[in-house]
Amino acid sequence: MLKLEGLIPPMVTPLDEKRKLDKTGVKKMVKHLVDGGVDGIFLLGTTGEGPHLSYAIREELVKTVCKLTKLPVLVGITETDLEDALAFAAKCKSFGAAGVVAAPPYYFKLTQAECVAWFTELADRSPLPVVVYDMPAHTDTVIEPFTIAKLASHPNIVAMKDSSSIIALFNKFRIALEPYKDKFSLFMGPDEAMGEAVLLGADGGVCTGANLWPAKFKEMYLAAKAGDVEKVRKLQRFTTLSSYLLYGLGQGQIGFLKGVKAALAEMGLIQNVLAAPFTPFSGRDLAPVKSAVKLLRKS
């Protein structure tokens, strides 16, 4: 049985100027994350631009990362069609992935009963353990605590990533999942709440900012796990400052990623390219990114 814990960053997908997979960038990112002490890598989530990438790029990315690390690799398989999700899950298993991550299918908002039905059939048929991804900002479906408690009883559903950004809801998830804590893991998504969530009992974080500062996020996780509130407060200030300086620079739902990819390019890890139809920061728009990276490196 797969039991997940710790820091599992949702890795960006490095692309080249032709919007093909940048394998050099992939190698640099994996080394950067592994050297930072992460406990696993999550591919093709929101931060990984999964829904905007071709299947060819998705498969090449999973295959490449699985060859580069022995850490657990989780892969986003969120689809609107169950058969497509399962077909990709089978390929991920053949590449060496440890598990798959799925949000509720988007476009039509699901009822809670439909959520249970979808994830139950997915887990029944998936060749890999399933992580439930609560991402209401992009799916318009909020997974309720009683729903995740039902799903946690399934032997092939092993964890949940909560990206609701609502700490009160997270606490309800935590209480609802208490009967399953020996086999089910609860992860916090937003950077700004990871330290607090682990102090309260979360099993770890799946935080975008760990792409930039994996060692800092891992240090915060370990401090929270040890109950060191003062150290968590200090490190949470840094991670929140990072998101404050970088995530709000661009407009729209992709704005946060424009800042992250530009910062990673400034750090020499990837090229500053996003999937279509999105355009990266350039020219004067790069100035605040450069300033933020310089400031954060000194913090």
Side-chain angles (χ1 to χ4, degrees):
M1 183 176 68
L2 180 66
K3 185 67 167 73
L4 299 166
E5 63 179 353
L7 178 64
I8 305 179
M11 196 180 93
V12 300
T13 300
L15 301 172
D16 63 21
E17 64 279 359
K18 294 182 179 180
R19 286 177 165 150
K20 302 297 184 183
L21 188 68
D22 174 14
K23 287 191 175 181
T24 299
V26 173
K27 291 177 182 178
K28 287 182 178 181
M29 280 302 305
V30 171
K31 184 179 187 304
H32 175 61
L33 296 176
V34 172
D35 289 350
V38 304
D39 300 290
I41 296 175
F42 168 34
L43 304 175
L44 300 174
T46 307
T47 302
E49 301 171 89
H52 287 275
L53 299 173
S54 68
Y55 279 108
I57 289 178
R58 297 186 208 186
E59 291 175 18
E60 189 179 14
L61 175 67
V62 177
K63 192 184 303 184
T64 302
V65 173
C66 286
K67 287 180 179 178
L68 289 171
T69 182
K70 295 181 179 179
L71 292 173
V73 175
L74 307 178
V75 184
I77 61 165
T78 299
E79 298 285 355
T80 54
D81 177 74
L82 189 64
E83 299 303 326
D84 284 347
L86 288 165
F88 189 40
K91 289 189 176 182
C92 290
K93 182 180 181 180
S94 72
F95 299 147
V100 293
V101 184
Y106 45 90
Y107 194 82
F108 288 114
K109 184 176 181 178
L110 269 61
T111 66
Q112 296 304 294
E114 289 163 344
C115 264
V116 171
W118 173 272
F119 282 108
T120 298
E121 185 172 356
L122 179 66
D124 283 345
R125 298 172 60 192
S126 173
L128 290 171
V130 174
V131 176
V132 176
Y133 186 5
D134 183 38
M135 189 50 155
H138 293 282
T139 66
D140 202 31
T141 296
V142 177
I143 298 174
E144 298 289 349
F146 69 86
T147 299
I148 196 60
K150 285 184 180 179
L151 294 173
S153 66
H154 193 292
N156 203 34
I157 299 179
V158 299
M160 175 187 189
K161 178 192 176 187
D162 173 24
S163 291
S164 67
S165 298
I166 304 171
I167 198 68
L169 182 57
F170 163 80
N171 278 315
K172 291 178 182 178
F173 288 142
R174 184 170 55 85
I175 292 170
L177 290 166
E178 284 177 352
Y180 309 100
K181 61 183 179 181
D182 291 336
K183 61 86 64 179
F184 193 92
S185 303
L186 178 60
F187 286 85
M188 174 54 70
D191 298 11
E192 300 86 352
M194 198 267 273
E196 177 183 356
V198 174
L199 281 170
L200 290 169
D203 295 282
V206 184
C207 308
T208 295
N211 280 278
L212 296 156
W213 325 107
K216 288 275 193 183
F217 275 83
K218 182 59 181 289
E219 188 180 4
M220 181 168 64
Y221 163 74
L222 292 172
K225 195 77 174 173
D228 189 340
V229 176
E230 287 305 315
K231 192 170 186 179
V232 170
R233 181 180 288 116
K234 179 181 178 181
L235 290 165
Q236 190 77 70
R237 183 186 185 281
F238 173 87
T239 57
T240 300
L241 181 63
S242 176
S243 67
Y244 175 73
L245 293 175
L246 292 170
Y247 294 3
L249 295 176
Q251 295 182 341
Q253 286 190 316
I254 201 71
F256 81 99
L257 192 54
K258 288 189 176 188
V260 171
K261 279 201 157 180
L264 288 168
E266 175 68 15
M267 296 165 73
L269 292 167
I270 66 170
Q271 298 183 52
N272 187 19
V273 180
L274 289 97
F278 308 111
T279 55
F281 289 141
S282 60
R284 293 181 180 179
D285 290 334
L286 288 171
V289 175
K290 294 175 183 289
S291 297
V293 170
K294 185 177 181 180
L295 173 65
L296 290 162
R297 276 177 160 166
K298 293 179 179 179
S299 299

